[in-house]
Amino acid sequence: MSLSRTARFRRLLGYLLAAIPVVVYLGHLATAARLTVDFPTGDDWHALEDGTAGSFDLEYLFAAGNSTIFPVGNALDSLAMHLFGADTGIYQPLTLALVLGGMLLFQWILLRRALLDVLLAGIAMSGTVLALRPGTYWGLEDLAYHQAAPIVLLLSTLVLISGRRPGVRLVAIGTFAIGLIAGFFYISGAVSGVAAGALLAVLGTRLRGSLGRRVRWGSLGLLLAALIAAGVQVWVAILGELGNEGVGLVPPLEPDFWRFLLGQVAQSWALPSGRPDLAMVVALAMLAATDVVAVVLFVRIMRRRLPLRHQLLATVFVTMTGAIGVYLLVIAAARTDLMASIAPGIEDSFVHGFERYYWWWSTFGWPWPVSYTHLTL
């Protein structure tokens, strides 16, 4: 087989692997469009019961609930009410298409830019199927997707930073705007934005070439926006305007904190909840390996011992690991006590990490450990 044929085969195989999650996504979307029932559930009833559905009043948009404020999500819900009566059969498939479609698009763009090899990018891209499973943010409440959007928006800031256009000042403006939107979509967008912005700011001091300049400007906009959003979110929380009564924060010193966190990691890999002993060991190994690699790459960037062609891969890897890690820590602190109160016990805290869609964010990071093999080939 000639070299040109080999190259063509590798390219074709890469695209075929990348197409796997796209096919799953289209099937997921078709199922949602066909089976979603137009009937409010859970928290969707609140706005209908108090007559605020469709409102754009600031009091409604910034109303607190579930330990956060979500004016962007409330505004989109109101817009949906005016456009199509908040028909769940339209709204949920639409948000699913945008959020999951955006995830696939942004992951592919970043992987292609970072790896420069279609086959390697396709192998890593196939890992995004982990995010395309049932039991996530769609199927019940219309507004559940508010918690999913921030991580996709974070990906979009990395796409903006890693491109060749626009100029660096527009990059800063763009990341600032996206950071504000993510931060006011949900509190998770604010805290993960602070983590990502801070990491990018530090990495930007040592990255070389045009990427370093774009990272410095991009981190400035993202970090500033995230700090503003986080400040408002925390300020509202301190005033006691949000939060669930009777549910406290669990410190990292508590074993259940880490059991619940590892349960989320295990579910993100679709490990069997029926074998919690095995699932916990595998999840711990995967999490430890990912964190070790992220630390090694961070140190290599700071010491400028990383080849230029690997800078973008390492930057995305470290940033996504840090942002998702902070998210998992916050969720474990805020939700472990709630889950433990339902069914206390060593295994229960771990297994409860499987039961909610908090694990979904973790799936965004897994294509990048796969892509790290490019550095060692």
Side-chain angles (χ1 to χ4, degrees):
M1 182 180 289
S2 68
L3 180 61
S4 60
R5 287 185 178 181
T6 301
R8 286 198 297 270
F9 175 76
R10 286 174 57 88
R11 190 175 184 86
L12 175 61
L13 182 57
Y15 282 126
L16 288 175
L17 289 170
I20 293 174
V22 176
V23 173
V24 175
Y25 160 74
L26 293 175
H28 202 21
L29 179 58
T31 301
R34 184 168 60 92
L35 299 180
T36 301
V37 178
D38 181 21
F39 190 81
T41 59
D43 293 338
D44 291 338
W45 280 105
H46 296 331
L48 297 171
E49 290 173 343
D50 60 24
T52 55
S55 173
F56 290 98
D57 291 342
L58 291 180
E59 183 178 356
Y60 163 68
L61 295 181
F62 284 86
N66 201 27
S67 301
T68 185
I69 55 175
F70 33 91
V72 174
N74 282 339
L76 291 175
D77 292 345
S78 293
L79 182 62
M81 174 63 72
H82 287 283
L83 290 178
F84 35 80
D87 186 328
T88 298
I90 299 175
Y91 196 27
Q92 287 209 22
L94 176 61
T95 58
L96 183 150
L98 293 174
V99 174
L100 293 185
M103 179 272 292
L104 292 176
L105 175 63
F106 297 145
Q107 288 276 33
W108 177 246
I109 291 174
L110 286 171
L111 287 168
R112 285 289 287 118
R113 288 176 179 174
L115 294 174
L116 302 176
D117 184 289
V118 174
L119 178 57
L120 292 172
I123 293 172
M125 184 68 183
S126 64
T128 59
V129 296
L130 293 169
L132 302 172
R133 288 179 279 158
T136 57
Y137 297 94
W138 295 271
L140 292 175
E141 294 95 345
D142 289 350
L143 54 75
Y145 84 94
H146 296 177
Q147 302 181 52
I151 184 66
V152 179
L153 291 168
L154 177 60
L155 274 181
S156 73
T157 63
L158 295 174
V159 170
L160 182 61
I161 289 171
S162 63
R164 295 182 179 181
R165 295 180 181 178
V168 291
R169 288 175 177 81
L170 289 178
V171 167
I173 294 172
T175 55
F176 179 80
I178 296 171
L180 277 184
I181 294 171
F184 286 112
F185 235 121
Y186 219 78
I187 192 171
S188 54
V191 296
S192 61
V194 171
L199 280 170
L200 288 170
V202 174
L203 294 175
T205 63
R206 305 300 292 171
L207 291 169
R208 293 163 288 173
S210 61
L211 177 63
R213 189 161 180 258
R214 294 180 71 83
V215 167
R216 288 190 291 273
W217 280 86
S219 66
L220 176 65
L222 177 59
L223 183 58
L224 179 59
L227 286 172
I228 292 172
V232 174
Q233 296 272 10
V234 171
W235 178 61
V236 174
I238 290 175
L239 289 179
E241 296 178 2
L242 46 90
N244 296 321
E245 293 183 4
V247 179
L249 298 178
V250 175
L253 296 177
E254 294 288 336
D256 282 343
F257 176 100
W258 296 105
R259 294 189 186 103
F260 182 72
L261 188 150
L262 286 173
Q264 298 174 72
V265 174
Q267 176 65 317
S268 71
W269 277 100
L271 297 176
S273 60
R275 290 290 308 277
D277 49 350
L278 174 63
M280 183 179 290
V281 171
V282 175
L284 180 60
M286 294 301 303
L287 184 63
T290 300
D291 289 344
V292 167
V293 173
V295 170
V296 169
L297 289 177
F298 178 83
V299 171
R300 292 187 67 185
I301 291 175
M302 297 308 294
R303 293 181 176 178
R304 289 186 171 173
R305 293 181 178 177
L306 201 66
L308 281 173
R309 65 183 183 279
H310 295 156
Q311 283 192 141
L312 178 57
L313 173 59
T315 299
V316 176
F317 190 128
V318 171
T319 303
M320 292 298 293
T321 301
I324 295 171
V326 168
Y327 168 82
L328 291 176
L329 292 172
V330 171
I331 289 296
R335 291 291 177 261
T336 300
D337 193 42
L338 175 63
M339 297 303 179
S341 67
I342 297 173
I346 294 177
E347 291 186 357
D348 286 335
S349 296
F350 174 75
V351 173
H352 276 304
F354 286 73
E355 296 179 2
R356 297 285 288 179
Y357 38 59
Y358 306 123
W359 55 266
W360 191 74
W361 275 49
S362 299
T363 63
F364 278 61
W366 299 134
W368 295 93
V370 174
S371 67
Y372 176 68
T373 57
H374 176 65
L375 293 179
T376 58
L377 289 178

